Amino acid sequence: GRSITFDTTGVDLNASGSEYVSRSFVNTNQGGGYIVTGSNLGNLPAGAVSYEGYTEIYDASGGRETGDVTLNVNFNNNKATITGVTDNLIYSSSDISVSSSSGQFSSNSAQIGQRFGANIKVPARIEGSFYGASGNGMGGIVTGGLNADLTTGYLGSFAGKR
């Protein structure tokens, strides 16, 4: 057999740790990818809610970097914005749609790329979900410019809580 490695980071959504959201970087001899999972969603919050947490971005030309993410959601109009930042990389979208029935969110109009220098960014897609009995957690994946063998482009994950 061949080895598979998991690098998992999570966020507890309550004091007991029985509710959580986590992301794992899974690496095999064929390449790597992210998995985001968490406690089942009960109900979504109402009004304007801000979530903060961590992100990790894989740059095919330069490895993985960790940083911070902020997701601002207006559950009244089912819209959100997100920004994830590491030392050298960034992704963002100001046009995220939220499904109040499924608790999922997505954007086809995100960008991901370099923060400095040439400041090159490429179109990206964001897919995520809310987690926990009261929607206290969120997590998801961002992809942009990836080719099939992951030699160009960006792949990221994020998880956080309100």
Side-chain angles (χ1 to χ4, degrees):
R2 301 191 188 246
S3 66
I4 299 174
T5 58
F6 291 84
D7 177 8
T8 302
T9 306
V11 176
D12 287 333
L13 303 180
N14 60 12
S16 71
S18 63
E19 292 187 32
Y20 68 95
V21 59
S22 67
R23 73 101 196 113
S24 298
F25 183 76
V26 181
N27 198 19
T28 72
N29 66 323
Q30 298 295 311
Y34 290 102
I35 298 170
V36 177
T37 188
S39 302
N40 289 338
L41 175 64
N43 297 307
L44 288 172
V49 178
S50 184
Y51 295 80
E52 294 185 354
Y54 62 87
T55 189
E56 183 173 275
I57 304 171
Y58 169 81
D59 175 354
S61 64
R64 292 166 33 205
E65 291 188 14
T66 58
D68 300 314
V69 64
T70 301
L71 176 73
N72 293 307
V73 185
N74 184 330
F75 288 103
N76 293 337
N77 67 8
N78 295 323
K79 297 290 183 187
T81 64
I82 194 169
T83 302
V85 178
T86 70
D87 287 343
N88 299 298
L89 304 169
I90 187 170
Y91 60 85
S92 64
S93 177
S94 59
D95 187 28
I96 297 176
S97 297
V98 177
S99 169
S100 58
S101 59
S102 69
Q104 297 176 333
F105 56 89
S106 64
S107 174
N108 287 319
S109 59
Q111 289 192 324
I112 190 169
Q114 302 294 319
R115 286 181 64 189
F116 306 109
N119 199 27
I120 298 170
K121 294 181 184 66
V122 297
R125 178 163 178 79
I126 293 174
E127 295 282 344
S129 295
F130 296 99
Y131 297 94
S134 300
N136 287 335
M138 61 84 182
I141 303 290
V142 56
T143 59
L146 286 174
N147 62 1
D149 59 4
L150 299 180
T151 57
T152 62
Y154 303 92
L155 175 63
S157 67
F158 53 90
K161 65 181 182 177
R162 60 183 177 136

